[in-house]
Amino acid sequence: MDIGNARAITSQESELKFRLTADDVANIRARSILTPLSWRKEVLQSTYFDTSDHLLHKAGVSLRLRKSAHRIVQTLKYESPAFASLFLRREYEIRVPRPILDLDHVRRHCPARLAKHIDDKLKAVFCVDVERTNWTLHWNGSDIIASLDEGIIQAGGKRQPIRELEIELRHGAIADAFDLARALAKVACLEIATTSKAERGYRLRRGGTSTFWKPPAITLDADVAFEDAVRTNALHCISYFAANEALFSERHSAEGVHQMRVALRRLLSLMSLCKKWLPKMRKGKSRAEIKRAFRRLGEARDLDVAIEALNKSKQSDTGAILNGLCRDRKAAYRKVVELLCSRRFWARMIALLETIICGRNTNKQASACRRCEAPHSYYCVRHFDKTMEEAERIRPSIALE
């Protein structure tokens, strides 16, 4: 291919992503602020490529050919980790005349260590077919595209449905994207999503199931600002919760309850630790909603632990007690699911997420700690992740607030 005649596009993609149910999709179409606006619909057929041992995916890169009615676009995207629904990704796009990869373009923009593996051995790994409805808005001074995706992922003979809302910021302030999300959350349950379509495709290719997620430890620079340390840890906690909530929605399990509860416990502890510097994280309805979720997860977790202990006891006269505990656990799980499907819960989480990402500290400068000449609690926040892990190891049943 003569790429001199093609226009390559390099961009930084900034978007919020949310999972939806079929009812939520219908509500957004019929009852939201988008309903009276003009829209454009298109069918997108995407094929993702990789080596036989998935070297691109392991390097945090995705490569796809996307076909629509009027064009075929090749996209190389750096799949940087999403922090609690906020995706910030570098991508390189080029139009191609046929559904054939332009390998020279891929080599130029992929990591150098992978360039030698970019050859004709790249093969299709999975496909994503969606019907996308786009609304283009000028919202509070920002240019935003709201996209509603409905379709399927197909990999290895397996299929998985997709219902997602993406709010992409093309130009302006990320606070305006959150403002649009809050407006849409009035008619739909917008569940924070932390997994891209590419990651979901690879997961389906591996067998469709994943173990519940425990995030890697956070590494912060020595000179990181206090507020940046707080923000990073808070986003880490929300991502931790949202990733496990998505897996729990697919298959209810004791491990899912445990991981979600740990994530919320860490978030509540961080909010208490930093109440003087980020008061908005402390006050308001978001904290009360998180505490309510934490209590419901705690009730389910206590029953899981009791049932596990009773099963290990090997006593012969515990059948009636065990049956009663199992009934109580079933009821507790129903309450957890009810909360996780609540429009109010996710609206509060979105509001907290907006405060963390867009908020500013309005308090006076904190006094310094005599020992380390840093603001009080600075050391704790910088090492918050490690501190929480040690506390959970010693006293796993205690809420650290």
Side-chain angles (χ1 to χ4, degrees):
M1 172 187 174
D2 181 7
I3 63 170
N5 295 325
R7 186 167 68 93
I9 301 174
T10 303
S11 65
Q12 173 80 24
E13 182 184 51
S14 301
E15 68 180 20
L16 302 172
K17 188 189 294 285
F18 305 98
R19 295 189 298 117
L20 304 171
T21 65
D23 289 342
D24 294 325
V25 171
N27 287 337
I28 288 176
R29 291 189 187 280
R31 298 174 49 211
S32 76
I33 58 172
L34 300 178
T35 303
L37 303 180
S38 60
W39 47 268
R40 180 171 59 89
K41 186 171 289 188
E42 57 184 337
V43 175
L44 304 176
Q45 299 174 315
S46 301
T47 303
Y48 288 75
F49 295 84
D50 208 331
T51 63
S52 58
D53 48 358
H54 299 172
L55 286 179
L56 292 180
H57 179 57
K58 292 174 183 177
V61 177
S62 67
L63 174 63
R64 75 175 182 226
L65 286 177
R66 171 171 284 176
K67 180 181 178 182
S68 60
H70 306 293
R71 62 177 183 168
I72 303 172
V73 177
Q74 174 180 300
T75 303
L76 183 73
K77 186 177 294 189
Y78 282 71
E79 295 284 339
S80 58
F83 266 132
S85 185
L86 179 63
F87 288 78
L88 300 171
R89 298 178 291 198
R90 184 159 40 105
E91 60 180 27
Y92 302 90
E93 287 190 344
I94 189 171
R95 292 185 66 168
V96 293
R98 302 182 305 278
I100 299 175
L101 290 171
D102 181 340
L103 298 179
D104 289 336
H105 181 263
V106 177
R107 290 190 191 97
R108 277 199 302 275
H109 298 293
C110 75
R113 67 185 184 279
L114 295 179
K116 62 182 179 181
H117 299 288
I118 305 303
D119 53 27
D120 294 332
K121 293 181 181 179
L122 288 176
K123 61 180 182 179
V125 182
F126 57 89
C127 300
V128 178
D129 297 334
V130 299
E131 182 181 76
R132 170 169 291 180
T133 305
N134 286 325
W135 292 267
T136 301
L137 301 89
H138 189 66
W139 187 266
N140 295 340
S142 294
D143 295 324
I144 296 173
I145 295 179
S147 301
L148 196 59
D149 287 351
E150 294 180 273
I152 57 171
I153 303 175
Q154 301 182 74
K158 302 179 181 66
R159 296 160 63 95
Q160 189 176 83
I162 294 175
R163 296 187 191 91
E164 291 181 345
L165 173 69
E166 297 178 359
I167 299 177
E168 183 178 355
L169 179 68
R170 303 306 296 269
H171 176 75
I174 192 64
D176 293 333
F178 274 108
D179 188 63
L180 177 59
R182 284 190 286 107
L184 294 172
K186 294 178 181 178
V187 300
C189 181
L190 306 186
E191 298 185 24
I192 291 173
T194 59
T195 306
S196 66
K197 292 183 180 69
E199 179 57 41
R200 290 180 63 183
Y202 279 104
R203 181 188 299 168
L204 191 61
R205 182 76 184 187
R206 293 193 297 266
T209 60
S210 294
T211 56
F212 287 92
W213 186 63
K214 186 173 183 181
I218 299 174
T219 301
L220 296 173
D221 294 335
D223 58 349
V224 65
F226 177 79
E227 285 190 12
D228 290 338
V230 174
R231 185 171 290 112
T232 298
N233 278 286
L235 291 174
H236 200 61
C237 292
I238 297 178
S239 297
Y240 183 2
F241 173 82
N244 285 292
E245 187 278 332
L247 294 172
F248 181 80
S249 68
E250 297 175 6
R251 55 187 178 94
H252 301 166
S253 79
E255 183 62 19
V257 168
H258 173 59
Q259 295 299 340
M260 287 189 292
R261 185 170 179 265
V262 170
L264 293 188
R265 180 170 64 205
R266 293 188 182 190
L267 183 58
L268 288 168
S269 298
L270 182 67
M271 292 167 75
S272 292
L273 179 65
C274 305
K275 60 186 177 182
K276 293 183 180 179
W277 289 272
L278 292 175
K280 289 183 179 179
M281 291 176 61
R282 168 78 174 177
K283 298 177 181 178
K285 299 177 181 178
S286 294
R287 179 176 171 83
E289 193 68 18
I290 293 171
K291 292 184 75 171
R292 187 167 74 99
F294 180 75
R295 285 193 296 269
R296 285 201 180 181
L297 288 166
E299 292 167 2
R301 176 60 179 166
D302 290 343
L303 289 165
D304 284 331
V305 171
I307 290 171
E308 182 181 2
L310 205 57
N311 284 328
K312 289 181 178 179
S313 69
K314 297 181 180 180
Q315 297 180 18
S316 58
D317 57 346
T318 59
I321 298 175
L322 188 59
N323 288 337
L325 289 174
C326 288
R327 284 195 301 270
D328 291 343
R329 179 173 65 175
K330 188 175 181 179
Y333 270 50
R334 279 199 301 267
K335 290 182 179 180
V336 169
V337 172
E338 177 186 336
L339 181 136
L340 296 179
C341 295
S342 162
R343 188 185 305 169
R344 183 180 73 175
F345 172 76
W346 288 108
R348 300 290 184 250
M349 291 294 285
I350 293 170
L352 176 61
L353 183 61
E354 180 183 11
T355 298
I356 293 167
I357 293 175
C358 306
R360 293 291 182 269
N361 183 12
T362 58
N363 284 331
K364 297 179 180 179
Q365 179 67 36
S367 59
C369 172
R370 295 178 182 175
R371 185 178 62 178
C372 59
E373 297 184 353
H376 286 297
S377 299
Y378 177 82
Y379 180 84
C380 296
V381 171
R382 281 208 68 246
H383 299 275
F384 177 77
D385 190 62
K386 185 181 295 186
T387 302
M388 288 294 99
E389 285 207 6
E390 180 64 15
E392 287 153 16
R393 184 183 67 81
I394 298 172
R395 305 181 70 181
S397 64
I398 301 300
L400 302 175
E401 292 192 63

